[in-house]
Amino acid sequence: MRWLIPSRYTKVSPWKNRLLRSIRTASPWFHMPLLMILVFVPFIHHYALTSNVSLYIKRLGRLSYVLVVLNVLLTLRPGNPIFGFNYLDFISLHKWLSRFVTVIGIIHGIGFIVKWSIDPSVSMISKATRLYNFIGVVAFVPLSVLLFVSIRAFRRYSYKTFYIAHQLAQWSMVFLIPIHARPRVTVPYFIILLVLYVQRGISYSYHSSTVHVTQRVKDETSLTYVKVDRGTIRDWLPGSHLRISKYKKRNPLYWLMPTKPYTIASLPDENQVDLVIRENSVPYVVVGEYTVVDVYSTVPPTLLYDSQRVAIVVGGSGISFGLGIFKYLQTRNLEYLKFIWLIRNNEDMHILNQCNVDTNDLEVYVTRSLPQDDTQTKSPAANSSSEFDDIDFELETMDDSGALLTSDVKTPSKVHFGKKLDWQVDLAQFIEPRTLQNSWLVCCGPKSLLDDGQAYADQNYCNFVKEFYSL
């Protein structure tokens, strides 16, 4: 899973800039506390908490299923019809709201079990096995499992297990909780969720198309190039991604199993769809037939149409996000355009031989001692001196700066071996105070790269777009 966060130019104090960015980007660190204030301030009202424990336990249950509607609304694709955001903007907020709903639902269930257990006038077993209460007990099980398997370490260990638990918990909240809830809310609750899920069903079917993966090139490197026939895939904006399913629409698994997102490295006027991916030991995409659910735009239009100065810094497979934007901006004759690609091994440059790209304005930084997150950069606040790893260089012609000079049209004019990116030095010509409103820094890669990019953008008050990958 991945998501994109745009940031606009605001020349204000750093803490105000962070606050504005949190509001614009649906950050859970701002919106979750705000939501809790809104729901809990009127929560305790009229009745004393100590003498009306049962009433407040019931209120927690009602709060959990009411918030499910909001949670489903956050997952609508391709965009949210009410707030005008892309669905990726809400992924982080959706995850934290899901945890909040799960926790208060579990507290609701445990609260009644404890209450019945300590009350000598009732039988806990007889209470729990009553029809409507038992439906709540059944819904309690997948929620409890989800709370454990949603931990990041477990999601990375077995995403499929997490997804199955997520789906079971989701459908139990959608179908079982409205029946369990009292007073009866089944009809209005189902009507609201039906409308939302019909919209989701339309988004999964209206623009879907069957495509053929015709080429897959790995060349013993960590990056894989995948070529997909254009077919009937609708046009997309540069930087968009598509979601691929192994199953056809008539297969129930198409609707139940997760789809894989891949950023498109080509432009819509090309005959094929280029994907650049970093795969696990078992590849998801091989030569064969797949279903593309849809394409989704994640890049602010102002970056594509109004920008004048753009620097693109990507790491590893993040080149897939940068290439489409880069190739489009090359047609606009900007004041400044620079593409920097950070990779572990120079063999990864085979990707450029597969993609239709003009390598002018493109520089590659090859550092073979990279950490596990794919890239090394020097923080904007770091010492500006160059650092080189001990590398056995092949016989290649280099200039005084250590850059590789080559006449291969598919190889960048400059390839830096063992050198870490120094933001202040290597982007020294990027920032012009008179054009900050139309200056954009675009980053894609691991968290360390994005944090450095964010710091650089904050220091120089330029617009910032970042995309990163996470389960």
Side-chain angles (χ1 to χ4, degrees), residues 238 267 303-305 323-332:
L267 295 178
L303 163 62
L304 300 175
Y305 306 130
L323 268 184
I325 299 172
F326 178 63
K327 290 196 289 186
Y328 175 78
L329 293 178
Q330 281 183 315
T331 67
R332 287 195 47 225

Side-chain angles (χ1 to χ4, degrees), residues 4 299 303 310-314 321-322 325 329 338 340 423 430 440-444 449-450 462-467:
L4 177 139
V299 175
L303 163 62
V310 178
I312 303 172
V313 182
V314 299
F321 179 67
I325 299 172
L329 293 178
K338 189 170 188 177
I340 294 176
W423 295 83
F430 170 47
W440 290 79
L441 174 63
V442 179
C443 291
C444 183
L449 172 65
L450 304 187
C462 65
N463 299 286
F464 184 55
V465 167
K466 65 181 179 181
E467 182 176 274

Side-chain angles (χ1 to χ4, degrees), residues 26-28 31-32 71 74 90-98:
S27 169
H31 290 87
M32 283 303 299
N71 213 18
L74 295 179
F90 288 111
I91 287 180
S92 187
L93 181 59
H94 163 69
K95 288 194 297 187
W96 282 100
L97 182 57
S98 297

Side-chain angles (χ1 to χ4, degrees), residues 108-365:
H108 165 79
I110 293 176
F112 269 111
I113 291 175
V114 172
K115 179 180 181 299
W116 294 334
S117 299
I118 63 178
D119 189 345
S121 63
V122 300
S123 167
M124 192 271 288
I125 299 298
S126 63
K127 280 281 191 179
T129 53
R130 288 183 181 178
L131 177 59
Y132 291 121
N133 290 341
F134 184 71
I135 293 175
V137 172
V138 173
F140 176 86
V141 175
L143 287 177
S144 302
V145 173
L146 179 63
L147 194 62
F148 170 73
V149 301
S150 63
I151 298 172
R152 176 179 294 182
F154 190 93
R155 293 201 319 268
R156 293 187 179 276
Y157 172 74
S158 178
Y159 184 78
K160 182 176 291 187
T161 301
F162 158 74
Y163 190 83
I164 292 173
H166 175 276
Q167 293 299 89
L168 291 174
Q170 172 185 255
W171 294 116
S172 70
M173 290 295 291
V174 170
F175 291 109
L176 298 181
I177 296 303
I179 300 174
H180 161 76
R182 281 149 289 172
R184 314 281 0 121
V185 294
T186 308
V187 174
Y189 190 86
F190 276 163
I191 290 175
I192 294 172
L193 287 178
L194 178 63
V195 172
L196 296 179
Y197 277 100
V198 165
Q199 191 277 342
R200 176 178 287 186
I202 293 173
S203 71
Y204 261 65
S205 58
Y206 186 74
H207 290 294
S208 64
S209 59
T210 300
V211 299
H212 291 84
V213 174
T214 59
Q215 187 180 8
R216 187 174 177 275
V217 180
K218 188 170 177 61
D219 285 357
E220 302 301 324
T221 67
S222 59
L223 298 183
T224 301
Y225 166 80
V226 175
K227 179 180 178 181
V228 183
D229 275 350
R230 173 64 190 271
T232 59
I233 300 175
R234 64 170 175 155
D235 286 347
W236 61 88
L237 291 177
S240 297
H241 69 276
L242 51 76
R243 301 193 73 95
I244 291 180
S245 172
K246 291 182 176 180
Y247 311 101
K248 294 186 177 181
K249 285 188 292 184
R250 61 176 177 268
N251 189 326
L253 293 178
Y254 173 79
W255 306 93
L256 298 177
M257 298 303 291
T259 57
K260 287 276 190 176
Y262 295 104
T263 303
I264 303 172
S266 51
L267 295 178
D269 58 359
E270 299 181 48
N271 296 325
Q272 77 282 342
V273 176
D274 294 333
L275 307 178
V276 180
I277 58 181
R278 186 182 301 280
E279 296 180 314
N280 297 321
S281 56
V282 179
Y284 185 85
V285 176
V286 295
V287 174
E289 189 174 84
Y290 294 84
T291 301
V292 170
V293 177
D294 199 0
V295 291
Y296 304 93
S297 175
T298 55
V299 175
T302 49
L303 163 62
L304 300 175
Y305 306 130
D306 299 329
S307 58
Q308 290 299 322
R309 304 180 67 83
V310 178
I312 303 172
V313 182
V314 299
S317 59
I319 190 175
S320 60
F321 179 67
L323 268 184
I325 299 172
F326 178 63
K327 290 196 289 186
Y328 175 78
L329 293 178
Q330 281 183 315
T331 67
R332 287 195 47 225
N333 192 28
L334 303 184
E335 291 181 10
Y336 179 96
L337 177 62
K338 189 170 188 177
F339 191 115
I340 294 176
W341 185 24
L342 311 173
I343 56 177
R344 179 180 292 121
N345 297 302
N346 66 328
E347 289 84 1
D348 286 341
M349 284 191 287
H350 81 90
I351 294 298
L352 300 177
N353 294 324
Q354 310 298 331
C355 299
N356 179 27
V357 57
D358 179 357
T359 56
N360 290 328
D361 305 315
L362 193 154
E363 293 188 29
V364 177
Y365 288 70

Side-chain angles (χ1 to χ4, degrees), residues 69-80:
V69 176
L70 173 61
N71 213 18
V72 174
L73 186 64
L74 295 179
T75 64
L76 294 182
R77 301 174 187 170
N80 193 287

